[in-house]
Every structure is written in structure tokens, then in C-alpha cells.
Amino acid sequence: MSSSDAAAAAPPDDDAKLQCFLQWLQANGADLRGCTIRACGRKGFGVYATAPDAAAADGVVMAVPLDLAVTPMRVLQDPLVGPRCRALFEDGGVDDRLLVMLFLMAERLRPTSLWKPYLDVLPSTFGSSVWFDDEELAEVEGTTLHRATVMQKKSLQALFNDKVKALVEELLHIDEAGSSIEVRFEDFLWANSIFWTRALNIPLPHSYVFPGSLDGQQIRTGEVLGDSDLTTQQETDTTTKNSSCDENSESHNMESIWVEGLVPGIDFCNHNVKALATWEVDSEGNLTGIPASMYLILAQAGKSSVETGTEIYINYGNKGNEELLYLYGFVVDNNPDDYLMVHYPVEALRQLQSADIKMKLIEMQKAELRCLLPTSLLDRGFFGTSTSSGEDDDNKKKHFSSYSWSGQRKVPSYLQKNVFPQEFLSTLRTIAMQEHELEQVASLLGEVGSSEDGEPSDAEIKSAIWEVCGDNGALGLLVDLLRVKMAELEEGTGTEASDSQLLEKFDSNDPDDSSSATVESIEATKSRVNRRSCIVYRRGQKQLTRMFLREAERLLELSAEEQI
């Protein structure tokens, strides 16, 4: 899948490939009853409404048999490579995600693949950061995305060299037609990107996941691929797009098992936060007439407001530009779901005096050295536009009341305007402690003997540290972290203002012409889109850093005034 700025214009022969794919879908039981798939300029392909009357009754515009879905179960049951894949899977040599990627690689390289019409119409390159060349990657220097991308490229290359290349060659040798084909790293990079950009979370019926001899087989969620130092706002959904199914729908019953997989046809829907459609599974075929199928359904079923030619979008989730660019290869201008990641380097912590003690205290508090700061937090800060509700204020006061060890340190007056998570501030309080403060904390904790193992609880540790230290040291450290982050962001790519000027030039000089789709024009357009995405992302990071820094500096001023 792609976004409005995700990829360059489609090559001239894509129309023939698309027609072949549409025929393949129909021949395999898919029903595009209220939509079609067609080229859409820079986006490659998209799903468009055709006949609103056809879907007016139930809102269903496309239905695809689950037999066409590329899932771990489908790979394990493949008549050609299934037996070998199953042996690898049962031995723990591959997880479910890598299993799908190996299958995609082998089938794309195999000349006689039954999946050829589908694989031929998929994109061959991507705008996600792992595909950036050195010049494009330099556009995000100093960001979390840059560091995560560099590490991911190294990780993927190592995995390819150590495991993937040999396994795919083995799968190809099963079929004589593929025995002489060379397997390249670019093939793995392609399969990896296809999975992460197109995989859906599919609520499959239990009987479909575990048919016959596969009953009881555990589906293992992979940790080898997709995980990196890039911290996303939604840790549980960084890789696959979620359906917004009704909680009472049949696909959400207890017999459903959520599985990641590719669904040809539905996976050509592009992203929009104001999505027109979502997807569900029809186990019995009562709605679609196709048993065991996934269907695309309009969010406004029964209404005729979706005109012919309107693109049908789905929503990939509330993701910041960092995650969108890393996974999907596009950004959203003025993204309301943007976030900033702030962390204290563990290397710096190890160099501190009494580092071992502080690390132990952080561990006992179940605290972390990094935190995510969503844009939405700024609304209730000193410079925000909204005020906290009375309920929010009461919750904060209750949270802080447990911090007072002796009652001498009062709840800070700025508590209601503090936008930074207390869990992260607890970490910074611990790191910022001076030696004499550490001794005082140890003395307070020495009075605690309430727990069975004699160790203080995390709440007691936080309370003791708050009583001794307050916020001044932590907020000073937070200000320093944000200033360093800003310096890193600006060092390689300039200021927020310079990024704004660059974007103005980009947008005012945008050729927006897909009529001359030569190889050179396609590459130039792709590079231009990638660079613009980088500028939008890095400017957003600088803007958030500036705004959170202003909040932290104001908190530090007030804390210094109230410090005992």
C-alpha cells in the first residue's frame, strides 16, 4: 500500500499487469462488486468506487476469499514449498513473519509461480527510509529515524547473509525451473517492505487457522524483523493496519484468531485518517455470499454519498510521521499524531558516579530511560489552548499524594500544567541525584520493612526520591536533554525556519506531471517525494522539540522558585 506521496508514477506497462491481476482475482473467486483498482499517479494503485448502487444495501464493495490471503498457514499448506517451510517453522528456524517473507521472495523469483499476476503488480521500490540512498538518508540526520534506519539496514543485511539467502535458494531448488536463479539482498528488502507496508491484522476463524493436522500449532509472532530502536507511539501496532470492526461483529467472537497476512485486492487501499472503509471477515458467507472471505465495507453503508470515481481509503492507524516514513514511506503534513521521543543514553548513565546504585533504583521503580511525547500533550501545557478537566487534576493530585514521605514537600503548584509523564520524571530524578541526596534516600528506604523480601516497593522508592530531591534536578536534566536533541537535529539539516523555506520552494515548484513516465522522470519524482517527506518529518521533530523545551523551561523556572 502507499500514500498520496509514497511512490513515483507507474510504468507504462502497469496497465497490462493490472488487467491480468484483476482477471486473476476474479478467476479465484474475488468479487469487486462496487469498486475497481486502477492507477493513481504517484500513489501507484488505489481502490475506487464504481457503482454506488451495487453496494448501497450492505456497503460491501469488495470480497476476497481467504484462500487468496498470504498468511503463515497458507505458506505451511503450499503443495510445493509447504513441507520444507513447515519443518523450518517447527524447528524454530523461522517465525511466522519471516516465513511469509521467504514465501514472497521464492514465489516472486519462481518463473512458474501461481501468484505471478499478484506479485507482478506489487511495487518494486518503496519510499520507506530503509530504501533511502546515502543522500536521502542524510536528510534525516540527527533524528531517531536516521539511527533506527541505519541499524535496521545492518540487521537486515546480516539476516540475509546468515539465513535468508540459503533458505530461499533451497525453496527455489524444490522446483527445477528456479534452481539457477540468484537470490539478492534486494529481493529480501523487497519482501520485507511488502510485508510491513501491506500486511493486515486478519480476524480468522479458529477452524481456518488450525485446519486438521495443523490444529494446536502455535503461531509465533516474530521478533527478528520489524523491531528496532525506533520507538513508535503505538507499540502494539507498529507494523500492521488495524480494522475498525464493530466490537459486536461476528469477526470479533471468541473463536477468532488475529493473524498477520496479505489480502490481494484489499491491500491496494491507500491511507487516509478520514477513511471511507474498513474490513471484516465473513466466516459463513452470510453477508458476501463467499464463505471464509474478507470484505471491504464502506463506513457509511446504505448511503449514496460515495460517488463513482471516489477513492476508497482505509485508516492505517493514528501514527506519527516517524512511524509512517519508517514503515510505509510517506508523511502527513501537520500530522496531529506526531510525537517526540526523548531518552537518556544508557552509556551516559554508566559514566555517572554511583551508576550501579542508580540503575538498580531505576529498575526497582520499573522506570524507563525514554518516553514518547505526543503532540496532544501540549494542549494542556502552559502554552496550550485547552485546560485540564477537574477529574484530570484530581487524578494528578492523588498520584502525587503518595509521593509525600513526611508531608514536608508539598504538591507543586504547576502540577496541572506539567505535560511530561511522571514515570519519566521519576527516572530523571533518580539520575540527577547528588551523592548527599542518595544517602538521604537510602536512609529513608532503610526505615522500610513492609515488603516480604525486605526491599522497598517502587512506590516507596519514588516517594523517598521525591521527598529528598523534588523536581529541580529532574527538570534541569530534561531541559538539557531537549537542548541537546535540538542541537543534534539542527547540526546536519539546519533550523526549523530553513526547513519551512525549503518546503515552500518544493511546493511552489512542484511539476505534478505524470504524463512523461520515463525511467528518468520516475526516479527524479521518487527522489523529490522522498526528500520532501524527510523535510516534513524533520521539521515536525524540530517544532515539537522547541515546544516541549519551552514547556520544560517554564516548569524549571517555577520549580526553582518553589524548591525548599
mmCIF file of all heavy atoms in Angstrom, residues 115-136:
data_model
loop_
_atom_site.group_PDB
_atom_site.id
_atom_site.type_symbol
_atom_site.label_atom_id
_atom_site.label_comp_id
_atom_site.label_asym_id
_atom_site.label_seq_id
_atom_site.Cartn_x
_atom_site.Cartn_y
_atom_site.Cartn_z
ATOM 1 N N TRP A 115 1.261 -17.264 -8.240
ATOM 2 C CA TRP A 115 0.983 -15.947 -7.672
ATOM 3 C C TRP A 115 1.502 -14.820 -8.566
ATOM 4 O O TRP A 115 1.436 -13.648 -8.191
ATOM 5 C CB TRP A 115 1.630 -15.830 -6.295
ATOM 6 C CG TRP A 115 1.093 -16.801 -5.293
ATOM 7 C CD1 TRP A 115 1.507 -18.087 -5.113
ATOM 8 C CD2 TRP A 115 0.044 -16.571 -4.355
ATOM 9 N NE1 TRP A 115 0.784 -18.684 -4.113
ATOM 10 C CE2 TRP A 115 -0.122 -17.764 -3.630
ATOM 11 C CE3 TRP A 115 -0.766 -15.487 -4.058
ATOM 12 C CZ2 TRP A 115 -1.072 -17.903 -2.630
ATOM 13 C CZ3 TRP A 115 -1.707 -15.610 -3.050
ATOM 14 C CH2 TRP A 115 -1.855 -16.800 -2.343
ATOM 15 N N LYS A 116 2.016 -15.157 -9.728
ATOM 16 C CA LYS A 116 2.673 -14.168 -10.590
ATOM 17 C C LYS A 116 1.792 -12.942 -10.905
ATOM 18 O O LYS A 116 2.278 -11.808 -10.818
ATOM 19 C CB LYS A 116 3.143 -14.828 -11.881
ATOM 20 C CG LYS A 116 3.901 -13.881 -12.819
ATOM 21 C CD LYS A 116 4.456 -14.631 -14.024
ATOM 22 C CE LYS A 116 5.082 -13.680 -15.029
ATOM 23 N NZ LYS A 116 6.167 -12.867 -14.441
ATOM 24 N N PRO A 117 0.514 -13.105 -11.260
ATOM 25 C CA PRO A 117 -0.300 -11.906 -11.563
ATOM 26 C C PRO A 117 -0.378 -10.934 -10.389
ATOM 27 O O PRO A 117 -0.418 -9.713 -10.596
ATOM 28 C CB PRO A 117 -1.671 -12.495 -11.891
ATOM 29 C CG PRO A 117 -1.373 -13.881 -12.386
ATOM 30 C CD PRO A 117 -0.234 -14.351 -11.532
ATOM 31 N N TYR A 118 -0.414 -11.459 -9.175
ATOM 32 C CA TYR A 118 -0.460 -10.598 -7.985
ATOM 33 C C TYR A 118 0.899 -9.976 -7.713
ATOM 34 O O TYR A 118 1.016 -8.756 -7.510
ATOM 35 C CB TYR A 118 -0.924 -11.416 -6.786
ATOM 36 C CG TYR A 118 -0.816 -10.713 -5.451
ATOM 37 C CD1 TYR A 118 -1.408 -9.475 -5.240
ATOM 38 C CD2 TYR A 118 -0.120 -11.299 -4.386
ATOM 39 C CE1 TYR A 118 -1.326 -8.834 -4.000
ATOM 40 C CE2 TYR A 118 -0.037 -10.676 -3.154
ATOM 41 C CZ TYR A 118 -0.631 -9.444 -2.966
ATOM 42 O OH TYR A 118 -0.536 -8.815 -1.743
ATOM 43 N N LEU A 119 1.947 -10.783 -7.740
ATOM 44 C CA LEU A 119 3.281 -10.289 -7.412
ATOM 45 C C LEU A 119 3.789 -9.285 -8.439
ATOM 46 O O LEU A 119 4.512 -8.345 -8.100
ATOM 47 C CB LEU A 119 4.256 -11.464 -7.296
ATOM 48 C CG LEU A 119 3.916 -12.492 -6.211
ATOM 49 C CD1 LEU A 119 4.871 -13.674 -6.276
ATOM 50 C CD2 LEU A 119 3.969 -11.851 -4.828
ATOM 51 N N ASP A 120 3.400 -9.454 -9.700
ATOM 52 C CA ASP A 120 3.852 -8.544 -10.757
ATOM 53 C C ASP A 120 3.301 -7.130 -10.595
ATOM 54 O O ASP A 120 3.915 -6.163 -11.046
ATOM 55 C CB ASP A 120 3.446 -9.081 -12.134
ATOM 56 C CG ASP A 120 4.383 -10.170 -12.624
ATOM 57 O OD1 ASP A 120 5.418 -10.396 -11.972
ATOM 58 O OD2 ASP A 120 4.072 -10.792 -13.659
ATOM 59 N N VAL A 121 2.138 -7.000 -9.984
ATOM 60 C CA VAL A 121 1.508 -5.690 -9.873
ATOM 61 C C VAL A 121 1.890 -4.973 -8.576
ATOM 62 O O VAL A 121 1.554 -3.807 -8.387
ATOM 63 C CB VAL A 121 -0.026 -5.838 -9.986
ATOM 64 C CG1 VAL A 121 -0.642 -6.240 -8.667
ATOM 65 C CG2 VAL A 121 -0.666 -4.577 -10.547
ATOM 66 N N LEU A 122 2.603 -5.659 -7.701
ATOM 67 C CA LEU A 122 3.064 -5.029 -6.460
ATOM 68 C C LEU A 122 4.212 -4.073 -6.760
ATOM 69 O O LEU A 122 4.944 -4.253 -7.731
ATOM 70 C CB LEU A 122 3.520 -6.101 -5.458
ATOM 71 C CG LEU A 122 2.440 -7.038 -4.934
ATOM 72 C CD1 LEU A 122 3.049 -8.060 -3.978
ATOM 73 C CD2 LEU A 122 1.323 -6.268 -4.237
ATOM 74 N N PRO A 123 4.401 -3.042 -5.930
ATOM 75 C CA PRO A 123 5.509 -2.104 -6.167
ATOM 76 C C PRO A 123 6.853 -2.803 -6.053
ATOM 77 O O PRO A 123 7.002 -3.771 -5.303
ATOM 78 C CB PRO A 123 5.324 -1.057 -5.070
ATOM 79 C CG PRO A 123 4.510 -1.741 -4.019
ATOM 80 C CD PRO A 123 3.609 -2.679 -4.744
ATOM 81 N N SER A 124 7.825 -2.311 -6.810
ATOM 82 C CA SER A 124 9.166 -2.899 -6.777
ATOM 83 C C SER A 124 10.134 -2.081 -5.932
ATOM 84 O O SER A 124 11.182 -2.582 -5.526
ATOM 85 C CB SER A 124 9.719 -3.027 -8.204
ATOM 86 O OG SER A 124 9.731 -1.763 -8.845
ATOM 87 N N THR A 125 9.798 -0.824 -5.684
ATOM 88 C CA THR A 125 10.604 0.012 -4.788
ATOM 89 C C THR A 125 9.663 0.769 -3.858
ATOM 90 O O THR A 125 8.457 0.840 -4.101
ATOM 91 C CB THR A 125 11.458 1.025 -5.578
ATOM 92 O OG1 THR A 125 10.593 1.881 -6.341
ATOM 93 C CG2 THR A 125 12.438 0.318 -6.489
ATOM 94 N N PHE A 126 10.230 1.347 -2.801
ATOM 95 C CA PHE A 126 9.416 1.965 -1.761
ATOM 96 C C PHE A 126 10.040 3.278 -1.312
ATOM 97 O O PHE A 126 11.237 3.517 -1.505
ATOM 98 C CB PHE A 126 9.274 1.025 -0.560
ATOM 99 C CG PHE A 126 8.619 -0.280 -0.903
ATOM 100 C CD1 PHE A 126 9.362 -1.321 -1.448
ATOM 101 C CD2 PHE A 126 7.265 -0.462 -0.706
ATOM 102 C CE1 PHE A 126 8.762 -2.522 -1.788
ATOM 103 C CE2 PHE A 126 6.654 -1.656 -1.046
ATOM 104 C CZ PHE A 126 7.406 -2.689 -1.584
ATOM 105 N N GLY A 127 9.217 4.093 -0.678
ATOM 106 C CA GLY A 127 9.695 5.356 -0.142
ATOM 107 C C GLY A 127 10.061 5.287 1.318
ATOM 108 O O GLY A 127 10.432 6.305 1.916
ATOM 109 N N SER A 128 9.964 4.107 1.930
ATOM 110 C CA SER A 128 10.328 3.964 3.339
ATOM 111 C C SER A 128 11.825 4.156 3.514
ATOM 112 O O SER A 128 12.620 3.925 2.601
ATOM 113 C CB SER A 128 9.879 2.601 3.870
ATOM 114 O OG SER A 128 10.253 1.564 2.992
ATOM 115 N N SER A 129 12.228 4.571 4.696
ATOM 116 C CA SER A 129 13.598 5.028 4.912
ATOM 117 C C SER A 129 14.651 3.955 4.690
ATOM 118 O O SER A 129 15.798 4.262 4.363
ATOM 119 C CB SER A 129 13.738 5.602 6.329
ATOM 120 O OG SER A 129 13.408 4.634 7.313
ATOM 121 N N VAL A 130 14.293 2.686 4.832
ATOM 122 C CA VAL A 130 15.286 1.625 4.624
ATOM 123 C C VAL A 130 15.705 1.537 3.161
ATOM 124 O O VAL A 130 16.728 0.938 2.834
ATOM 125 C CB VAL A 130 14.721 0.275 5.128
ATOM 126 C CG1 VAL A 130 13.685 -0.284 4.179
ATOM 127 C CG2 VAL A 130 15.842 -0.731 5.363
ATOM 128 N N TRP A 131 14.928 2.177 2.255
ATOM 129 C CA TRP A 131 15.260 2.210 0.830
ATOM 130 C C TRP A 131 16.027 3.475 0.442
ATOM 131 O O TRP A 131 16.417 3.623 -0.716
ATOM 132 C CB TRP A 131 13.987 2.116 -0.011
ATOM 133 C CG TRP A 131 13.399 0.743 -0.043
ATOM 134 C CD1 TRP A 131 12.637 0.151 0.917
ATOM 135 C CD2 TRP A 131 13.533 -0.227 -1.082
ATOM 136 N NE1 TRP A 131 12.278 -1.116 0.540
ATOM 137 C CE2 TRP A 131 12.812 -1.375 -0.693
ATOM 138 C CE3 TRP A 131 14.179 -0.228 -2.316
ATOM 139 C CZ2 TRP A 131 12.728 -2.513 -1.476
ATOM 140 C CZ3 TRP A 131 14.087 -1.365 -3.113
ATOM 141 C CH2 TRP A 131 13.384 -2.493 -2.690
ATOM 142 N N PHE A 132 16.231 4.384 1.384
ATOM 143 C CA PHE A 132 16.920 5.625 1.065
ATOM 144 C C PHE A 132 18.359 5.362 0.652
ATOM 145 O O PHE A 132 19.035 4.492 1.231
ATOM 146 C CB PHE A 132 16.931 6.558 2.268
ATOM 147 C CG PHE A 132 15.607 7.225 2.558
ATOM 148 C CD1 PHE A 132 15.467 8.069 3.649
ATOM 149 C CD2 PHE A 132 14.505 7.021 1.745
ATOM 150 C CE1 PHE A 132 14.275 8.695 3.924
ATOM 151 C CE2 PHE A 132 13.291 7.635 2.013
ATOM 152 C CZ PHE A 132 13.172 8.473 3.111
ATOM 153 N N ASP A 133 18.839 6.135 -0.323
ATOM 154 C CA ASP A 133 20.270 6.122 -0.601
ATOM 155 C C ASP A 133 20.952 7.048 0.409
ATOM 156 O O ASP A 133 20.294 7.680 1.252
ATOM 157 C CB ASP A 133 20.559 6.549 -2.044
ATOM 158 C CG ASP A 133 20.023 7.933 -2.387
ATOM 159 O OD1 ASP A 133 19.917 8.793 -1.476
ATOM 160 O OD2 ASP A 133 19.701 8.174 -3.569
ATOM 161 N N ASP A 134 22.269 7.130 0.353
ATOM 162 C CA ASP A 134 23.016 7.903 1.352
ATOM 163 C C ASP A 134 22.602 9.373 1.360
ATOM 164 O O ASP A 134 22.507 10.001 2.427
ATOM 165 C CB ASP A 134 24.517 7.780 1.096
ATOM 166 C CG ASP A 134 25.040 6.380 1.352
ATOM 167 O OD1 ASP A 134 24.350 5.619 2.063
ATOM 168 O OD2 ASP A 134 26.128 6.042 0.842
ATOM 169 N N GLU A 135 22.357 9.913 0.170
ATOM 170 C CA GLU A 135 21.982 11.329 0.087
ATOM 171 C C GLU A 135 20.618 11.579 0.716
ATOM 172 O O GLU A 135 20.420 12.565 1.438
ATOM 173 C CB GLU A 135 21.979 11.765 -1.375
ATOM 174 C CG GLU A 135 21.731 13.250 -1.580
ATOM 175 C CD GLU A 135 21.832 13.661 -3.040
ATOM 176 O OE1 GLU A 135 22.387 12.880 -3.843
ATOM 177 O OE2 GLU A 135 21.356 14.766 -3.363
ATOM 178 N N GLU A 136 19.674 10.683 0.467
ATOM 179 C CA GLU A 136 18.342 10.832 1.057
ATOM 180 C C GLU A 136 18.385 10.612 2.559
ATOM 181 O O GLU A 136 17.712 11.319 3.315
ATOM 182 C CB GLU A 136 17.382 9.846 0.394
ATOM 183 C CG GLU A 136 17.074 10.184 -1.062
ATOM 184 C CD GLU A 136 16.340 9.070 -1.776
ATOM 185 O OE1 GLU A 136 16.460 7.897 -1.358
ATOM 186 O OE2 GLU A 136 15.648 9.368 -2.774
#
